[in-house]
Amino acid sequence: MAGTGADPLAHAEQFIWLTARVLEQRRFAHLFLEGSADAVETALAAYRNEDGGYGHALEPDLRGPVSQPLHTAHALSVLDSIGRCGGPRVERICRYLTDVSTKEGALPAIHPSQRGYPAAPFIPVVDDPPAELLATGPVVGLLHRNQVWHAWLFRATDFCWAAVDALEQSHPYEIEAAVAFLDGVPDRARAEAAADRLGQLVREQRLVVLDPRGRADRPVAPGYAPGEHHFPHDYARTPGSLARRWFSDSELERSLDHLAAEQQEDGGWPVKWRQWAPGTALESRPVVTLGALRTLRAYGRGPR
C-alpha cells in the first residue's frame, strides 16, 4: 500500500477521521475498532425520511432531501453490515420500495422526485423511468440473504431473474448488480447456472482487467471515466461470492495486490467513476475506502 510506511489500517483510520461523514466514521469504528452498531444506526437515521426511504445525499451523487432508491439501497447495505437488516425498520423500507416501483414491480435508478435537485449528469432524471437491474438486483439479493419476506420481493425477484437471463451486451456495474442478486437469491442451482454464464460473458466482452499491469491498454465501457476499469475483486467482493469461481487464484491475487496498492498517500482509496462536483468526491472517498478495507479483510489481507 502507498503511504509513509505506517500500518495500512492506521493510515486509513487517520483518513477517515480527517475526511469522513459521521456515518462513515461510525462504520469504521464498528468494523475495526469495536464500536457499537447502535452508533451506526443512529447516524444512518439522520438520512431517513417519513416515507420510509432515505435521502439527504446518503449516496453522494444524488443531492437534496428526497428519498431515492439508490439512497435506500445504500441504507440497506449499512444495516446489513451491522446485522440490523430486519424487523420494523426493513418493513418500512419495503413499503417505500413498493411505492416507488415501476409497473414491473422493480426499481428505477432514479425517481422523478429528484427533479430540481442536483444530481450526477450520468444519472438522468426522466418522468417515466424504466425498471433497472442496476437498482433492483442488489436490494433483492440483500433482502433474500437476510431472509426478509415481503410482498414487494415476489415481482422484484421475477424482474431480476428475467433481466439476468436476458443479459447479452452489458457493462461492469450491471454485472455487479447481477452478482449481488445471484449471491442472495434462494434458488441456488439456478443462481449458479446463471453466474457461470455471466462469468463467460465478462471474459468474452473484456469487462474485467485480469492483469493490472496491462490495464492502460484495456478499454473502458462507454460513458465510463478514463481509467474506470474493473478487476476480479470488484465482482467477487468476498470468497463466498459466485463470481469467485470466475477467476483463478493467481488472477484474484493480482487483483487484491492491485487493490492494496491503490491506497493513497493520505490513507484513503481513490474514486474511479466520473467526478462532477468537489463535495461528492470528498464524501465518496471514505465510502470507497471502507469498501476496499472490507474486501481486503474478507480475503485475509487485513485485520480481523
Side-chain angles (χ1 to χ4, degrees), residues 18-35:
L18 179 65
T19 67
R21 303 179 295 191
V22 172
L23 176 60
E24 282 72 49
Q25 290 178 10
R26 290 185 172 180
R27 291 192 69 196
F28 181 91
H30 174 68
L31 289 166
F32 300 106
L33 303 175
E34 299 183 354

Side-chain angles (χ1 to χ4, degrees), residues 206-232:
R206 304 180 73 196
L207 302 181
V208 62
V209 175
L210 297 174
D211 187 348
R213 294 170 297 183
R215 63 188 181 278
D217 298 327
R218 297 298 296 272
V220 298
Y224 283 30
E228 193 176 354
H229 296 104
H230 285 67
F231 301 87

Side-chain angles (χ1 to χ4, degrees), residues 5 35 48 72 81 121 137 172 175 179 185 238 247 262 274 277 280 301:
R48 189 174 64 232
T72 306
S81 72
I175 297 294
V179 170
V185 74
T238 69
F247 310 109
E262 282 194 309
R274 196 177 303 279
T280 62
R301 295 290 197 97

Side-chain angles (χ1 to χ4, degrees), residues 10 52 94 97-98 126 134 151 158 176 184 187 223 228 239 255 288:
C94 287
L97 298 176
T98 302
V126 298
L134 190 66
D158 288 343
E176 288 180 24
D187 190 340
E228 193 176 354
S255 180
V288 171

Side-chain angles (χ1 to χ4, degrees), residues 1-9 11-12 212 215 231-234 251-270 272 285 288-289 291-297 299-303:
M1 295 185 183
T4 59
D7 173 72
L9 182 64
H11 203 38
R215 63 188 181 278
F231 301 87
H233 67 262
D234 290 311
E251 289 169 344
L252 187 62
E253 287 301 310
R254 285 196 300 267
S255 180
L256 293 170
D257 287 344
H258 174 69
L259 176 61
E262 282 194 309
Q263 187 177 22
Q264 298 187 326
E265 292 293 332
D266 61 5
W269 269 258
K272 294 182 179 179
R285 283 194 66 209
V288 171
T289 296
L293 290 170
R294 294 182 71 193
T295 296
L296 290 168
R297 182 170 69 173
Y299 283 100
R301 295 290 197 97

Side-chain angles (χ1 to χ4, degrees), residues 63-131:
R63 316 306 292 183
V66 295
S67 297
Q68 284 291 325
L70 289 180
H71 295 315
T72 306
H74 191 134
L76 280 170
S77 71
V78 172
L79 292 170
D80 178 54
S81 72
I82 61 174
R84 300 282 177 90
C85 196
R89 62 177 68 82
V90 174
E91 176 69 26
R92 289 193 298 268
I93 289 173
C94 287
R95 288 200 297 268
Y96 165 76
L97 298 176
T98 302
D99 290 342
V100 298
S101 288
T102 67
K103 60 181 181 297
E104 297 92 347
L107 298 174
I110 185 167
H111 189 268
S113 60
Q114 183 66 34
R115 191 179 303 281
Y117 297 103
F122 47 81
I123 313 177
V125 181
V126 298
D127 290 332
D128 187 20

Side-chain angles (χ1 to χ4, degrees), residues 36-51:
S36 75
D38 287 344
V40 177
E41 191 164 6
T42 297
L44 181 63
Y47 298 88
R48 189 174 64 232
N49 287 321
E50 291 184 2
D51 60 7

